[in-house]
Amino acid sequence: MPRKFIKRFMPDHERIKRQKALKIFGNVLYNPNLWCLNRRSAAGAFAVGLFMAFVPLPSQMIMSAGLAIACGVNLPLSVALVWVSNPVTMPVLFYFAYKVGAWAMHTPPQHFHFELSWEFLLHQMSTIGPPFLLGCLICGIVAAMLGYFGITALWRYSVVRSWQKRKIRIRNLLKK
């Protein structure tokens, strides 16, 4: 079940191979292990993708692809999961990460008014930067662990349930 469900939403690997940004990885993209979908590769891809979703840099997809290649997990799934932090969800996720970082550093959260300028970014990175980056790291690790163990458990549950259904079908056939 998880395999069929995940495959429905995965992008086509030929389309991903044609992405200009991924050309930096060269022939490594033709490794068939990066495109297969099994329990280990899916769980690892969830961990990589969800961790990279909390990286506050604009090149999350390329970094996710590099980490997926280095870990040998499903490449399309890890790249697609980075979009958990899309332009709509990013403010909420990063504000939550800031609050987690401030809590972890035992500093009171500071109020600020966002402004799109270099001066604002430089000034705020010295004040809210450390709790924000620590919060991103903590949230990324927790999300990666939840994704990895959640998919592993879901996959195992699905396989056990499939075997139980198969056993019942065989038992019913033998009774006839």
Side-chain angles (χ1 to χ4, degrees):
M1 151 125 171
R3 183 180 194 156
K4 291 177 186 174
F5 182 76
I6 292 171
K7 273 196 170 221
R8 198 175 332 157
F9 295 104
M10 274 184 29
D12 181 40
H13 68 273
E14 290 300 325
R15 201 167 113 202
I16 289 178
K17 285 180 188 176
R18 289 192 304 264
Q19 291 291 321
K20 290 179 184 177
L22 296 179
K23 295 291 183 192
I24 61 172
F25 297 116
N27 291 334
V28 176
L29 290 177
Y30 297 104
N31 181 355
N33 292 330
L34 298 175
W35 307 100
C36 72
L37 187 62
N38 56 36
R39 179 186 49 82
R40 189 188 79 70
S41 70
F46 264 79
V48 167
L50 292 175
F51 177 78
M52 295 310 289
F54 281 94
V55 172
L57 293 174
S59 57
Q60 292 171 321
M61 289 176 64
I62 295 170
M63 292 186 296
S64 178
L67 192 55
I69 290 169
C71 295
V73 298
N74 189 282
L75 179 67
L77 191 55
S78 64
V79 169
L81 280 164
V82 168
W83 281 94
V84 165
S85 67
N86 57 56
V88 174
T89 62
M90 198 175 290
V92 174
L93 291 176
F94 286 164
Y95 182 70
F96 177 73
Y98 168 69
K99 294 287 251 185
V100 167
W103 172 80
M105 292 180 73
H106 303 291
T107 59
Q110 298 177 1
H111 298 286
F112 60 91
H113 177 69
F114 182 74
E115 215 177 281
L116 191 58
S117 69
W118 282 110
E119 294 168 10
F120 171 79
L121 287 175
L122 293 176
H123 177 266
Q124 292 299 328
M125 278 321 236
S126 64
T127 58
I128 67 168
F132 172 64
L133 294 175
L134 178 64
C136 285
L137 179 66
I138 292 170
C139 289
I141 290 170
V142 168
M145 289 173 55
L146 287 174
Y148 182 86
F149 292 117
I151 289 299
T152 300
L154 181 64
W155 203 286
R156 172 134 174 82
Y157 171 76
S158 175
V159 168
V160 168
R161 199 176 94 220
S162 171
W163 275 100
Q164 287 173 343
K165 284 181 179 179
R166 184 180 295 166
K167 192 190 301 185
I168 290 170
R169 261 191 317 223
I170 290 173
R171 196 177 303 145
N172 289 338
L173 286 175
L174 291 175
K175 285 182 182 179
K176 291 182 181 180

